[in-house]
Amino acid sequence: MKKLLVLTLMVSCLSMGMTTEKALPILGIAHVAFQVSNLEQSRAFYTDFYGFEFAFAANENQEAWYLKINDDQFVKLVSKPGGTDDNRLVEIAFQVSDIETTVAILRERGLDPTPVEKKPDGTLASGLVDLNGHHLVFVEYTSGSKQALSRGKHLGTRRISDRLLHVGITITDEESANKLYRDALGFKEIRREPAKEGGPYGWVNMQLPGDRGDYIELILINDMKLNRKQMGTMHHMCIMTDDTRKAHRDMLFNGLPDLERYKPMIGRSKRWLCNVHDLDGTRVELMESKEVVKK
């Protein structure tokens, strides 16, 4: 009778589109880290134009400064004073509610995350590297972490955005990427943009588990060989605003040069957006929260 009851419950779950597999306790994107050649100048850039305030520093072999987007999300600037690499993307960190459970599930799914360790910022973390060399870090904000201790602080009124929406990374083999991001990590495809006719690449948006709606943008470059400028454009972060054109005006008021390439436009996402590259050539995409409604 018990076996019949268990089987009935499993069939019911499957018929409702549910699975019995445990979901990773991922809450959303914690931070994205980029190399910068000058910490002071880069901090000024992100603070002056975007309003993101310095929250704390942590020395992780290289000095790193965390600028706050909201209480859970940061942009992390990693010092590379000798000159940044062509690929300035250092890592993408995912906030989890339970790091031990996260690591156990990852190992059950055939992955080999690093042992959990306490980081200089006080978080508990584990990491792995995908097949394209992107460093993924899973972090739990402990009560004594610098992230937790800075809650409610450094949330300036000058912020033009309070949400890190997605991070873009390049992928050479979508099938292999799906085995990690879709099958192992449980990310879900929410949008696909094929390459324009004659264009070199398309992309796929993969939403993280959890309620925030953060996602990773997989840019399908296939066998493209990227130069420094292309890497800085493709390896990017996207922050969200309710009004891109107003945010752009605010940035101009804050001293952003009034250049044609910074002007807002309607992108393929059918949303107003604008793109600004930082001092080392990393793109920050500012995207509106709602699609344009045609009248």
Side-chain angles (χ1 to χ4, degrees):
M1 182 67 180
K2 289 183 178 179
K3 289 184 178 180
L4 180 60
L5 179 59
V6 171
L7 180 60
T8 302
L9 288 172
M10 290 177 66
V11 171
S12 297
C13 287
L14 291 171
S15 67
M16 294 171 64
M18 301 167 60
T19 69
T20 57
E21 191 174 69
K22 291 180 290 187
L24 284 165
I26 296 176
L27 303 174
I29 298 174
H31 69 251
V32 56
F34 296 109
Q35 292 178 353
V36 296
S37 54
N38 187 300
L39 279 173
E40 288 284 0
Q41 291 179 6
S42 294
R43 171 187 174 177
F45 176 91
Y46 282 96
T47 300
D48 291 348
F49 297 151
Y50 299 103
F52 300 148
E53 296 183 0
F54 173 83
F56 58 86
N59 195 322
E60 304 164 12
N61 298 322
Q62 294 169 300
E63 189 173 6
W65 289 3
Y66 289 72
L67 307 186
K68 180 175 277 195
I69 299 173
N70 59 53
D71 271 336
D72 292 306
Q73 295 183 310
F74 301 80
V75 54
K76 176 180 173 181
L77 307 179
V78 179
S79 179
K80 194 80 185 310
T84 56
D85 299 333
D86 285 350
N87 177 22
R88 280 130 285 172
L89 177 65
V90 177
E91 66 190 21
I92 307 169
F94 304 117
Q95 184 186 359
V96 301
S97 58
D98 186 328
I99 190 62
E100 297 289 353
T101 297
T102 300
V103 168
I105 294 174
L106 292 176
R107 287 175 177 160
E108 287 174 5
R109 296 179 184 176
L111 299 176
D112 187 25
T114 59
V116 175
E117 63 176 328
K118 188 173 183 178
K119 293 292 188 179
D121 61 5
T123 59
L124 295 176
S126 172
L128 54 84
V129 182
D130 76 5
L131 292 177
N132 286 271
H134 304 306
H135 289 256
L136 310 179
V137 183
F138 302 88
V139 298
E140 178 183 339
Y141 293 167
T142 63
S143 59
S145 67
K146 293 185 177 182
Q147 288 85 345
L149 295 174
S150 73
R151 283 194 171 277
K153 305 173 184 177
H154 316 298
L155 299 170
T157 57
R158 291 180 59 255
R159 285 175 299 158
I160 64 167
S161 170
D162 61 4
R163 171 79 184 281
L164 171 54
L165 180 63
H166 75 250
V167 177
I169 56 176
T170 51
I171 297 296
T172 56
D173 184 339
E174 185 183 358
E175 183 178 352
S176 297
N178 278 335
K179 289 179 181 178
L180 172 62
Y181 292 97
R182 183 191 64 197
D183 302 338
L185 300 185
F187 292 9
K188 179 182 178 182
E189 181 178 329
I190 56 172
R191 186 184 183 94
R192 178 178 291 266
E193 283 289 340
K196 289 183 178 180
E197 186 175 349
Y201 63 88
W203 65 84
V204 181
N205 293 339
M206 301 292 287
Q207 191 174 75
L208 280 60
D211 299 327
R212 290 187 198 166
D214 304 347
Y215 60 91
I216 298 298
E217 188 166 89
L218 305 180
I219 303 172
L220 310 176
I221 63 170
N222 301 317
D223 58 354
M224 282 182 67
K225 303 301 180 186
L226 302 180
N227 58 34
R228 178 181 174 86
K229 182 177 179 181
Q230 289 171 322
M231 283 189 179
T233 295
M234 294 187 187
H235 293 164
H236 70 282
M237 73 172 186
C238 175
I239 54 178
M240 193 165 67
T241 179
D242 289 334
D243 189 335
T244 299
R245 287 164 288 180
K246 179 184 181 302
H248 176 255
R249 290 194 298 270
D250 290 341
M251 292 175 72
L252 292 177
F253 181 81
N254 293 336
L256 181 74
D258 190 9
L259 302 178
E260 186 65 29
R261 64 177 182 270
Y262 295 158
K263 291 188 182 301
M265 62 182 178
I266 299 175
R268 292 169 67 183
S269 60
K270 299 178 183 178
R271 300 166 190 249
W272 279 100
L273 58 86
C274 68
N275 295 294
V276 177
H277 289 72
D278 74 9
L279 301 177
D280 290 280
T282 296
R283 177 166 67 100
V284 178
E285 179 182 12
L286 184 63
M287 180 183 288
E288 199 151 304
S289 55
K290 296 180 181 179
E291 292 187 1
V292 174
V293 178
K294 292 185 177 180
K295 296 180 180 181

